[in-house]
């Protein structure tokens, strides 16, 4: 019974095989004909990347098979061939595939059985009325081309040798390309999502002695789900067969393609400098975990690779692709000035997102490179987490310092991509013993652009001429109002006043600025400071603000050029806001006001008018003392601490004498007045005609000083033309003035008892004080000078307000003593009042009075050494 069943099966298989030979013959004949035709027309027929021209092979009356994709992936242990067979079952029941299998015949004659890949190994049957595709693989050794390959289809036949009956053959056309043709779109599946793919570009980069290849692969998501990185491996294959692992470029850091979206991803790898870069291919492979093999997914012929030229001509825009978004980059402006043997460059780099979505820029590294090969880093934090919204434009300010001995007209601003992620080998070794394989880990660092820097010296800014400046905050009109050089003790202060006007159509908030002054080759940043009148940093359209930049220079330093720089400092980084250079001469003088004319202080919260009240000359032997009283009238509506004033006397021949200021430390009430006294000693030979008082506001650390704070500079200087006078003494003492005091002596008596040595003096007085002004310390002294009948003089220092009390009907007594007075029988004495200030005196007035001699009473034994006591009585010494 067993033998009969076996015989029946063998007979059935023989019958089935025989019934198929006619069909097989036809198929074989077609393959042979196609092969012959291809051979005859190889010279004229271009390559094809599809096998749709191959006819299906009938495996049975209701089962046919068609050859689809063929790929080869280079492997260390031999190249792996994959091919896809699509089975179509037209029967009304399923068909078991166990009776059919395929074998590959290589060009060298090797026959290798195809094995289903892990994902398809479980497929054993083809369902009724269905088509199923199964991918097979085989190790074909060193074979790297599909040309000459054949794939034979077999069925079991126990009457045939080895029980295998060849049913048909698929012969790979000689003009078949494993890779898509240049510019061709190929539909594949990535991570089970259907996509259209296309090799868009290939470019060669040479940088720092290394050579890199960069390829672009566009992906169009045809599915309904987001495509994320499926974890496939990509390789660059040279025409010589060497393969190099590709890594995703930083500009394509996000592998995410939305449904129906098209995105181009860029991949990089390092290649040998000697490698032939023509006819390169891009290969995609995925790891079959079960087989521990990388299987080909798709392959693409790359366009002709050009060598990247990073140079961007001056004034041109460089378009950079970042995550499939185009960002326009342009070196908009560059200027240079000399400083301490270096050329200090200022650059403006504009960035504009021309794409349709926000893009975050990499942290590019910047440097300036000279034609001589030197590279100078440009430090900036501008690219730290810099994100541009669609159509958003940003201007970045950059600075660099290059030695002057290098050529300045051939410099380049180099922008280099940050270090990329490490790449590692996935077993992508070279075939055929090639030495071009790259399997080591590396960091790909590539240039983005080399911007040619236009050589243009910083323009000369003329005083009172407005210049237009654009920076990251907006467009401004900038005017250098004045540039002055004024004395400061043994040094000079250079002061530049600058007006900044908002020429934009939107309100701008200015950053916190600092100022730096440079003169010729001297950097004055150590003493530079910036002062602004307004405390507000908000500028409405058309509004303006004024700032002053100051620095101290040696009195003996001569220079011809000044550079005024405003900069924004954040942490350790500094960004230039604007820079003005001028060769216009410095002014060392100020247009003086007419005698009696006032000037305004406009600082916020300290508004006031200032004018001269009086100026006195205290004449001395070798020096004269100039004493000027200046009234400062508050124009504020609140109690306020008015500006601390700094003063200098300037003579008609240009000499400056620093003045000592005496000013009240108290706040001034609304509309209140304060008196500021300035004084200085000047040589007696100096002519005081045409004398001016330069009055300024004291500052320290860029702010107006308060009482008790030492000033380091001054701002807003005005020149008061003074009317100095030498006081004329009053003819009598009925009214003498020592501002703010007025003293009136109504009478005086001098009494002596005959034969004694003491003369008693007394006077009655009225003392008033003007309280119009707040004043600082009153350092004047009232000197009472007494001349006796013999011409001897005696002096007493009187304190106004103490020795002489403010009020009416006061009296004062004192006593002078001399041995000559024993014989005094009458005569006169003179009282003279002096204003003494800092050791210098000026006479206020004097008056002569008579001496009364009183006869000694008989009962008196006194020798006459006492005087009647009175208010403030004292004994004066004579000389």
């Amino acid at each position: 019974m067993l033998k009969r069943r076996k015989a029946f099966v063998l007979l059935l298989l023989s019958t089935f095989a025989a019934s198929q030979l006619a069909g097989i013959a036809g198929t074989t004949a077609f393959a042979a004909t196609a092969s012959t035709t291809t051979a005859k027309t190889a010279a004229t027929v271009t390559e094809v990347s599809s096998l749709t021209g191959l006819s299906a092979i009938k495996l049975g009356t209701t089962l046919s098979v068609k050859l689809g994709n063929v790929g080869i992936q280079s492997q260390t242990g031999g190249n792996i061939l994959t091919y896809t067979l699509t089975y179509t079952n037209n029967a009304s029941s399923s068909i078991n595939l166990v009776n059919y299998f395929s074998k590959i015949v290589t060009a060298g004659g090797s026959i290798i059985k195809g094995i289903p890949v892990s994902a398809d190994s479980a497929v054993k049957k083809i369902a009724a009325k269905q088509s199923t595709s199964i991918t097979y693989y085989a190790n074909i050794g060193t074979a790297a081309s599909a040309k000459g390959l054949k794939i034979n289809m077999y069925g079991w036949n126990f009457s045939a040798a080895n029980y295998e009956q060849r049913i048909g053959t698929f012969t790979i056309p000689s003009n078949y390309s494993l890779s898509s043709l240049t510019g061709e779109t190929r539909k594949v599946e990535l991570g089970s999502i259907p996509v259209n793919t296309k090799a868009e570009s290939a470019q060669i980069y040479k940088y720092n002695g290394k050579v890199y290849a960069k390829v672009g692969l566009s992906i169009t998501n045809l599915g309904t789900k987001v495509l994320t990185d499926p974890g496939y491996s990509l390789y660059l294959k040279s025409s010589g067969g060497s393969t190099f692992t590709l890594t995703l470029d930083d500009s394509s850091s996000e592998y995410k393609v939305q449904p129906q979206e098209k995105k181009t991803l860029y991949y990089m790898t390092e290649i040998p400098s000697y490698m032939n870069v023509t006819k390169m291919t891009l290969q995609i492979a995925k790891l079959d975990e079960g087989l521990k093999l990388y299987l080909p997914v798709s392959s693409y012929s790359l366009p002709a690779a050009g060598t990247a030229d990073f140079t961007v001509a001056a004034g041109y825009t460089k378009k950079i692709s970042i995550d499939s978004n185009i960002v326009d980059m342009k070196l908009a402006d560059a200027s240079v000035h000399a400083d301490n043997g270096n050329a200090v460059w200022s650059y403006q780099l504009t960035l504009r997102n021309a794409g349709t979505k926000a893009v975050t820029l990499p942290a590019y590294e910047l440097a300036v490179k000279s034609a001589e090969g030197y590279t100078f880093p440009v430090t900036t934090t501008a690219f730290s987490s810099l994100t541009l919204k669609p159509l958003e434009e940003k201007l970045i300010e950059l600075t660099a310092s290059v030695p002057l001995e290098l050529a300045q007209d051939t410099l380049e601003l180099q922008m280099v991509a940050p270090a990329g992620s490490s790449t590692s080998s996935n077993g992508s070794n070279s075939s055929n013993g090639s030495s071009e394989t790259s399997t080591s880990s590396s960091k790909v660092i590539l240039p983005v652009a080399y911007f040619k820097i236009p050589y243009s010296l910083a323009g000369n800014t003329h005083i009172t001429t407005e210049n237009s400046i654009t920076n990251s905050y907006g467009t401004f009109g900038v005017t250098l109002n004045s540039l002055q050089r004024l004395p400061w003790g043994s040094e000079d202060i250079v002061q530049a006043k600058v007006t900044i006007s908002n020429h934009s159509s939107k309100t701008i908030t200015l950053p916190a600025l600092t100022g730096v002054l440079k003169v010729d080759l001297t950097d004055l940043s150590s003493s530079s400071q910036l002062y602004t009148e307004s405390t507000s940093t908000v500028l409405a359209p058309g509004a303006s603000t004024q700032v002053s930049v100051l620095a101290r220079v040696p009195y003996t330093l001569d220079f011809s050029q000044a550079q005024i720089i405003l900069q924004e400092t954040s942490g350790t980084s500094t960004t230039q806001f604007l820079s003005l250079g001028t060769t216009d001469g410095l002014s060392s003088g100020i247009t003086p006001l007419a005698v009696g004319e006032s000037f305004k202080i406009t600082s916020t919260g300290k508004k006031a008018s200032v004018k001269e009240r009086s100026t006195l000359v205290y004449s001395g032997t070798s020096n004269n003392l100039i004493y000027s009283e200046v009234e400062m009238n508050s124009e504020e509506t609140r109690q306020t601490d008015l500006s601390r004033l700094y003063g200098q006397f300037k003579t008609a021949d240009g000499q400056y004498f620093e003045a000592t200021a005496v000013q009240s430390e108290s706040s001034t009430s609304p509309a209140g007045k304060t008196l500021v006294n300035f004084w200085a000693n000047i040589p007696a030979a100096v002519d005081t005609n045409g004398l001016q008082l330069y009055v300024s506001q004291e500052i320290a650390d860029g702010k107006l000083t308060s009482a008790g704070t030492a000033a380091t500079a001054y701002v807003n200087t005005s020149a008061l033309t003074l009317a100095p006078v030498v006081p004329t003494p009053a003819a009598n003492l009925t009214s003498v003035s020592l501002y703010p005091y007025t003293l009136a002596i109504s009478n005086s008596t001098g009494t002596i008892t005959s034969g004694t040595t003491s003369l008693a003096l007394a006077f009655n007085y009225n003392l008033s004080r003007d309280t119009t002004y707040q004043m600082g310390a009153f350092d004047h002294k009232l000197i009472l000078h007494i001349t006796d009948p013999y011409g001897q003089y005696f002096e007493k220092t009187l304190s106004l307000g103490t020795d002489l009390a403010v009020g009416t009907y006061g009296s004062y007594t004192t006593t002078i003593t001399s041995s000559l007075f024993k014989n005094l029988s009458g005569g006169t004495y003179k009282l003279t009042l002096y204003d003494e200030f800092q050791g210098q005196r000026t006479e206020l007035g004097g008056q002569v009075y008579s001496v009364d001699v009183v006869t000694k009473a008989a009962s008196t034994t006194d020798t006459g050494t006492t005087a009647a006591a009175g208010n403030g009585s004292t004994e004066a010494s004579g000389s």
Side-chain angles (χ1 to χ4, degrees):
M1 181 69 180
L2 181 61
K3 290 183 179 179
R4 291 181 60 189
R5 177 176 291 183
K6 182 176 180 181
F8 175 77
V9 171
L10 290 174
L11 177 63
L12 179 64
L13 286 173
S14 299
T15 304
F16 169 77
S19 67
Q20 295 297 316
L21 288 179
I24 293 172
T27 304
T28 305
F30 170 81
T33 303
S35 177
T36 302
T37 304
T38 301
K40 290 180 180 179
T41 61
T44 57
V45 176
T46 58
E47 287 189 326
V48 295
S49 60
S50 172
L51 295 174
T52 54
L54 293 181
S55 298
I57 295 176
K58 293 186 67 66
L59 300 179
T61 56
T62 61
L63 181 66
S64 63
V65 64
K66 189 170 179 62
L67 178 64
N69 297 327
V70 175
I72 297 176
Q73 181 65 36
S74 298
Q75 301 283 302
T76 305
N79 296 337
I80 301 300
L81 170 75
T82 59
Y83 57 94
T84 300
L85 296 178
T86 300
Y87 299 93
T88 301
N89 178 12
N90 292 319
S92 57
S93 61
S94 63
I95 296 178
N96 198 328
L97 289 178
V98 70
N99 296 319
Y100 306 101
F101 56 93
S102 60
K103 291 184 179 180
I104 299 97
V105 181
T106 67
S110 299
I111 300 175
I112 309 160
K113 186 176 181 180
I115 302 172
V117 299
S118 296
D120 296 338
S121 60
V123 180
K124 304 299 183 183
K125 294 182 179 181
I126 307 298
K129 305 297 182 180
Q130 296 292 321
S131 292
T132 301
S133 295
I134 300 175
T135 299
Y136 300 84
Y137 80 96
N139 189 324
I140 58 175
T142 60
S145 171
K147 290 180 173 61
L149 283 178
K150 295 180 180 180
I151 298 175
N152 294 331
M153 297 302 302
Y154 290 87
W156 293 111
N157 186 346
F158 292 111
S159 64
N162 299 323
Y163 307 110
E164 296 178 354
Q165 174 69 53
R166 183 167 63 87
I167 303 173
T169 298
F170 293 109
T171 300
I172 307 300
S174 60
N175 65 334
Y176 176 70
S177 171
L178 290 169
S179 304
S180 67
L181 304 182
T182 303
E184 182 181 20
T185 297
R186 173 169 286 186
K187 185 176 181 180
V188 298
E189 280 193 359
L190 298 179
S192 300
I193 295 178
V195 296
N196 278 338
T197 56
K198 179 181 176 183
E200 298 286 353
S201 62
Q203 201 150 29
I204 304 302
Y205 293 79
K206 297 179 180 180
Y207 182 63
N208 278 352
K210 295 184 177 182
V211 180
Y212 302 93
K214 180 177 182 179
V215 299
L217 176 70
S218 68
I219 300 175
T220 303
N221 186 349
L222 303 177
T224 58
K225 297 180 180 179
V226 176
L227 172 65
T228 56
D229 191 348
Y232 295 172
S233 297
L234 281 81
Y235 305 93
L236 177 71
K237 186 175 182 180
S238 72
S239 58
S242 301
T243 57
F244 304 87
T245 303
L246 289 162
T247 57
L248 199 63
D249 182 61
D250 276 351
S251 64
S252 305
S253 56
E254 185 181 28
Y255 193 131
K256 183 181 289 185
V257 186
Q258 300 291 340
Q260 310 309 312
E261 180 187 11
K262 180 179 180 180
K263 177 182 284 189
T264 299
L265 302 178
Y266 292 90
Y267 294 84
M268 301 286 301
T269 188
E270 183 180 350
I271 61 175
S273 59
Y274 51 80
M275 191 180 93
N276 185 352
V277 295
T278 60
K279 297 183 178 179
M280 296 189 297
T281 57
L282 168 64
Q283 296 181 330
I284 303 178
K286 66 177 178 179
L287 178 65
D288 188 315
E289 294 287 355
L291 302 175
K292 304 301 180 186
L293 292 173
Y294 280 91
L295 305 179
V297 174
S298 187
S299 180
Y300 309 85
S301 296
L302 289 171
T307 300
D309 183 6
F310 307 113
T311 302
V312 182
Y316 281 76
T317 298
K318 175 74 172 182
K319 293 184 177 296
I320 305 296
S321 177
I322 302 176
D323 198 20
S324 298
N325 247 34
I326 296 299
V327 176
D328 294 334
M329 298 184 178
K330 182 179 179 181
L331 186 61
D333 185 55
S335 61
V336 63
H337 69 272
D339 183 18
N340 289 332
N342 290 314
V344 179
W345 283 89
S346 298
Y347 311 113
Q348 288 186 337
L349 184 67
T350 59
L351 311 172
R352 182 179 181 273
N353 182 3
T356 58
K357 62 182 181 180
V359 60
T360 299
L361 279 71
Y364 294 119
E365 298 174 5
L366 300 171
V368 173
K369 187 173 184 180
S370 71
E372 295 86 350
Y374 297 98
T375 301
F376 303 91
V378 177
T379 303
T380 180
T381 58
F383 291 102
S384 299
S385 303
L386 175 59
T387 299
L388 295 177
K389 293 177 287 190
L391 304 182
E392 181 181 5
E393 184 172 310
K394 187 173 182 64
L395 186 146
I396 294 176
E397 302 277 353
L398 305 169
T399 59
S401 181
V402 179
L404 283 172
E405 60 262 31
L406 300 179
Q408 303 296 317
D409 57 348
T410 53
L411 298 176
E412 289 181 339
L413 176 64
Q414 297 189 340
M415 177 181 286
V416 179
S421 302
S422 297
T423 59
S424 58
S425 168
N426 287 314
S428 55
N429 288 334
S430 160
S431 63
N432 301 324
S434 170
S435 61
E436 297 181 4
T437 303
S438 172
T439 61
S440 61
S441 297
S442 62
K443 287 188 176 182
V444 180
I445 304 174
L446 285 180
V448 174
Y450 294 160
F451 295 99
K452 287 291 186 181
I453 299 175
Y455 181 61
S456 174
L457 288 171
N460 187 40
T461 301
H462 296 291
I463 294 175
T464 70
T465 300
E466 186 178 68
N467 299 271
S468 180
I469 291 179
T470 299
N471 56 33
S472 57
Y473 288 90
T475 299
F476 301 91
V478 180
T479 304
L480 178 60
N481 300 321
S482 64
L483 187 63
Q484 295 176 321
R485 180 173 184 169
L486 298 170
W488 172 262
S490 61
E491 296 179 297
D492 281 351
I493 285 181
V494 177
Q495 174 177 295
K497 280 189 177 181
V498 178
T499 296
I500 304 172
S501 302
N502 181 7
H503 282 188
S504 304
S505 58
K506 61 181 181 180
T507 298
I508 295 174
T509 300
L510 296 176
L513 296 173
T514 57
V516 173
L517 263 177
K518 298 181 180 181
V519 293
D520 286 351
L521 300 180
T522 303
D523 188 342
L524 306 178
S525 57
S526 61
S527 66
S528 294
Q529 54 184 308
L530 179 144
Y531 168 75
T532 180
E533 293 285 341
S534 175
T535 57
S536 175
T537 59
V538 177
L539 285 184
S544 63
T545 188
Q546 188 177 88
V547 299
S548 295
V549 182
L550 311 95
R552 298 193 304 272
V553 298
Y555 167 66
T556 56
L557 179 66
D558 291 327
F559 55 89
S560 59
Q561 184 183 41
Q563 188 79 15
I564 303 103
I565 301 171
L566 300 186
Q567 56 193 18
E568 175 189 4
T569 302
S570 176
T572 58
S573 64
T574 299
T575 303
Q576 181 173 293
F577 182 81
L578 65 85
S579 176
L580 301 174
T582 184
T583 57
D584 286 5
L586 279 79
S587 170
S588 58
I590 298 172
T591 303
L593 300 170
V595 174
E597 190 175 355
S598 63
F599 69 87
K600 298 285 188 181
I601 291 176
T602 59
S603 301
T604 302
K606 298 181 184 295
K607 294 182 176 64
S609 63
V610 180
K611 67 177 181 178
E612 176 196 23
R613 180 183 179 276
S614 68
T615 300
L616 303 177
V617 178
Y618 291 73
S619 300
T621 304
S622 59
N623 289 304
N624 292 333
L625 186 143
I626 307 298
Y627 178 82
S628 188
E629 295 177 342
V630 172
E631 61 180 57
M632 181 162 52
N633 302 321
S634 174
E635 295 184 351
E636 295 290 339
T637 59
R638 296 288 188 275
Q639 189 94 357
T640 187
D641 291 325
L642 295 177
S643 295
R644 310 300 296 178
L645 301 185
Y646 173 78
Q648 299 174 90
F649 292 105
K650 181 188 177 185
T651 62
D653 59 357
Q655 298 183 72
Y656 290 88
F657 297 90
E658 188 172 21
T660 298
V662 180
Q663 184 173 349
S664 171
E665 295 185 358
S666 301
S667 298
T668 304
S669 60
K673 298 183 178 183
T674 187
L675 200 64
V676 185
N677 300 327
F678 296 96
W679 63 270
N681 282 302
I682 65 175
V686 172
D687 188 0
T688 58
N689 290 323
L691 190 67
Q692 297 172 13
L693 177 61
Y694 278 25
V695 181
S696 315
Q697 294 170 263
E698 291 183 343
I699 64 168
D701 298 325
K703 298 179 181 178
L704 295 175
T705 61
S706 56
T709 303
T712 56
Y714 54 82
V715 293
N716 300 332
T717 303
S718 296
L720 296 176
T721 300
L722 302 178
V725 296
V726 177
T728 302
N732 52 56
L733 298 182
T734 56
S735 180
V736 293
S737 178
L738 180 54
Y739 194 81
Y741 296 97
T742 300
L743 176 65
I745 296 178
S746 57
N747 60 74
S748 177
T749 60
T751 305
I752 189 171
T753 301
S754 62
T756 63
T757 59
S758 295
L759 175 62
L761 302 177
F763 61 79
N764 297 319
Y765 68 90
N766 294 328
L767 181 64
S768 62
R769 175 170 181 166
D770 187 348
T771 58
T772 302
Y773 301 100
Q774 282 183 200
M775 297 179 63
F778 184 75
D779 293 329
H780 294 264
K781 296 176 181 179
L782 180 65
I783 306 299
L784 175 61
H785 184 97
I786 306 168
T787 307
D788 70 9
Y790 295 103
Q792 298 178 107
Y793 67 87
F794 305 81
E795 286 190 350
K796 173 62 180 176
T797 300
L798 301 178
S799 175
L800 295 175
T802 303
D803 294 328
L804 300 182
V806 174
T808 57
Y809 309 113
S811 63
Y812 177 83
T813 63
T814 186
T815 300
I816 59 176
T817 303
S818 173
S819 59
L820 296 177
F821 293 166
K822 287 185 178 182
N823 302 316
L824 187 63
S825 59
T828 60
Y829 64 93
K830 183 178 182 180
L831 299 182
T832 306
L833 295 178
Y834 289 93
D835 171 14
E836 182 178 282
F837 183 78
Q838 301 297 323
Q840 299 280 29
R841 290 184 180 183
T842 183
E843 184 179 346
L844 300 176
Q847 191 167 341
V848 176
Y849 302 93
S850 297
V851 175
D852 293 332
V853 180
V854 178
T855 303
K856 184 177 182 181
S859 61
T860 302
T861 59
D862 190 6
T863 57
T865 59
T866 60
N871 180 35
S873 65
T874 187
E875 185 173 307
S877 60
S879 45

